[in-house]
Amino acid sequence: MPLMTTKPMFDLAYAGGFAVGAFNVNNMEITQGIIEACAAEKSPLILQISKGARKYAKMNYLTAIINAAVAEYPWLPIAIHLDHGDTVDLVDTCIKDGFTSVMIDGSHHPYDENVHVTAEAVKHAHAAGVTVEAELGMLGGIEEDVVGMDAHDYEANVEKFLTDPDQAKDFWQKTKCDSLAVAIGTSHGAFKFKHEAKLAFDRIEKIMKTCPGLPLVMHGSSSVPQEFIDLVNKYGGQMPNAKGVPEDQINMAVGKYGVCKVNIDTDLRLALTAKIREVFATKPAEFDPRNYLGPGREAIVSMVRRKLGPKVLNSANKSDAINAHWEKLGKPLPKFYGAK
Ligand code: G3H
Ligand code: 13P
Ligand code: ZN
C-alpha cells in the first residue's frame, strides 16, 4: 500500500504540525538518495516530476526507477506528483501514467483563466481519484518550464506578487483544489534573496484564516546549504551570493502556519554538483561515474535526512500513522506506479 494520494499525508500534516517534503527527481541517483533518506527516517514523501524531467529522463525510465523504489520499501508512503503542470492535457497524460497527484499551475494566467484551467484539471483528476495542487500569486526565480521573474527584482517588489488571502478563498471555493501553492516571498533556484531572507508570515497567517483547513504548499523552499556553495566555489564553480530560505523559517511555516508540502529541488542539484566538483578537482584521474555520482548520492541522503528531522519538516517517524489513515480512507491505488 505504498503509493497514495497526498490526502492522507496532508490530513495528518495539517493537524500535526509537520510537512511532507516534495523532492524533484530527474535520474536514478537523485531518486535513490531521497528514498534511502526517507526510509531511514520512516518519513512520508512526495516524488515530483516536472515537464522538464519527463523530457530529460523519459517517463518509462522514471517509472522503472520509481517502481524499483516502491518494491524495495513497500511500507513507505509515497505520492507521485506532477510539478508545475501547465496544461490540462499534461495533467491527463500524468493521470494515465499513474501519478497519484498533480499540480496545475495557472498562476501566470489572469485570475479568471487560472480559475478556469484549475477547475477543469480538478474535474479530470478527481474523477480518477487523483489529488490536485493549484497555485495563486507569483513566485520569483526562473526555471526551465516554470514561469517566474528574476529573483532579485521579485524581492524588491514582493508585496505586489504575494497571494491575496480573499482571492485565495474565492479560488478554493471555485476550483475545489486539494492544496494551494502560495506566494509568500520564496523564489525558485539558488539566488532567492539579495537582502535578508524573510518569509511573509503575516500573509500566510491571513491565508490560513480565510482558508481554514486548506493545506498550503511552499515552492522555492531550498535552503541552499552553505557547505555545498563553499564546495562549488572552492572547486571551480561560480555561485557567489547564493542564498536560500533559512531552515528555522521553514520550520516555523510548517509548525504554525498550515504549510503541509515543502518543495525542494535546488538543494538536490547543489549536493550532487558540489560532490562531483570535489571529486573532479581532488582526483583528476577519476573517470568512473560511480566514484563521483556515488558521493553525490551520499550527500543527498544526509541532506534529506537532516531536513526530515524536527528542526525542519518534522516528518520523521510519521509513516505508520499515514499508512493507517490511508487504509481507513479505503481507496488503495495500484500497487505499482504505472500499473493499469
Ligand atoms: O520549480 C521547478 C523545479 O525546480 C523543476 O525544475 O523544470 O528545471 O525540472 P525543472
Ligand atoms: P527550489 O528551487 O527552492 O528547490 O524549489 C523547487 C520547487 O519549488 C519545485 O517546484
Ligand atoms: Zn515550484
Side-chain angles (χ1 to χ4, degrees):
M1 185 205 43
L3 283 187
M4 56 183 67
T5 69
T6 52
K7 173 151 176 69
M9 299 181 179
F10 294 170
D11 281 356
L12 297 200
Y14 196 92
F18 69 93
V20 184
F23 302 98
N24 286 73
V25 293
N26 285 282
N27 71 3
M28 182 186 78
E29 283 78 6
I30 293 172
T31 312
Q32 287 177 329
I34 297 162
I35 292 278
E36 198 181 306
C38 292
E41 298 296 335
K42 298 188 169 51
S43 167
L45 73 148
I46 297 167
L47 289 177
Q48 54 186 15
I49 297 167
S50 69
K51 192 172 164 182
R54 288 180 64 97
K55 194 163 126 205
Y56 170 78
K58 295 201 186 136
M59 214 37 240
N60 50 342
Y61 284 80
L62 290 175
T63 301
I65 292 167
I66 291 169
N67 276 339
V70 168
E72 191 171 8
Y73 300 107
W75 50 269
L76 192 62
I78 306 176
I80 311 296
H81 176 77
L82 167 65
D83 190 28
H84 292 285
D86 56 352
T87 62
V88 176
D89 277 354
L90 180 56
V91 164
D92 287 341
T93 304
C94 290
I95 293 170
K96 275 199 210 96
D97 284 342
F99 284 51
T100 63
S101 176
V102 289
M103 176 185 190
I104 178 77
D105 179 0
S107 60
H108 48 287
H109 292 308
Y111 180 69
D112 287 343
E113 180 62 16
N114 190 2
V115 169
H116 175 75
V117 75
T118 302
E120 192 64 17
V122 169
K123 236 190 282 166
H124 292 210
H126 283 182
V130 167
T131 41
V132 180
E133 172 186 332
E135 181 167 326
L136 188 65
M138 184 153 158
L139 263 81
I142 296 154
E143 303 284 304
E144 189 190 358
D145 294 316
V146 178
V147 178
M149 63 183 295
D150 175 82
H152 291 163
D153 292 345
Y154 180 77
E155 184 185 3
N157 299 287
V158 71
E159 278 292 323
K160 275 201 284 206
F161 304 113
L162 299 181
T163 305
D164 179 301
D166 293 318
Q167 202 175 51
K169 180 180 177 188
D170 183 67
F171 185 81
W172 184 27
Q173 282 170 349
K174 286 181 172 148
T175 65
K176 312 269 186 297
C177 61
D178 301 289
S179 60
L180 186 65
V182 286
I184 48 166
T186 62
S187 296
H188 291 109
F191 302 90
K192 300 183 192 296
F193 304 96
K194 198 171 187 174
H195 305 288
E196 195 195 346
K198 218 168 54 197
L199 297 184
F201 287 111
D202 51 338
R203 190 58 71 109
I204 320 180
E205 199 164 5
K206 284 183 188 143
I207 300 168
M208 263 192 93
K209 287 206 174 110
T210 57
C211 303
L214 176 62
L216 303 179
V217 179
M218 261 173 58
H219 282 244
S221 298
S222 280
S223 53
V224 186
Q226 194 57 40
E227 59 180 292
F228 297 139
I229 296 301
D230 289 345
L231 281 181
V232 166
N233 289 334
K234 181 171 174 189
Y235 293 119
Q238 283 187 3
M239 300 188 74
N241 308 319
K243 201 193 266 189
V245 183
E247 287 181 346
D248 58 339
Q249 294 197 30
I250 294 173
N251 191 245
M252 187 136 94
V254 160
K256 276 176 69 181
Y257 294 99
V259 170
C260 296
K261 175 173 179 271
V262 169
N263 281 18
I264 293 153
D265 187 359
T266 294
D267 285 352
L268 301 164
R269 298 176 182 196
L270 283 174
L272 196 57
T273 302
K275 285 295 168 181
I276 290 173
R277 279 195 179 279
E278 184 180 38
V279 173
F280 283 175
T282 56
K283 300 177 183 161
E286 185 57 72
F287 70 103
D288 182 341
R290 293 171 295 191
N291 294 336
Y292 51 84
L293 293 173
R297 180 172 59 189
E298 278 312 304
I300 288 175
V301 175
S302 32
M303 181 197 64
V304 172
R305 284 191 75 165
R306 177 188 159 76
K307 286 184 189 293
L308 304 174
K311 291 194 172 144
V312 191
L313 301 180
N314 194 26
S315 64
N317 299 312
K318 302 289 196 295
S319 59
D320 288 351
I322 287 171
N323 284 336
H325 186 49
W326 176 235
E327 210 157 34
K328 221 164 60 190
L329 292 171
K331 269 200 191 164
L333 283 156
K335 190 169 160 68
F336 285 101
Y337 170 68
K340 294 286 180 285

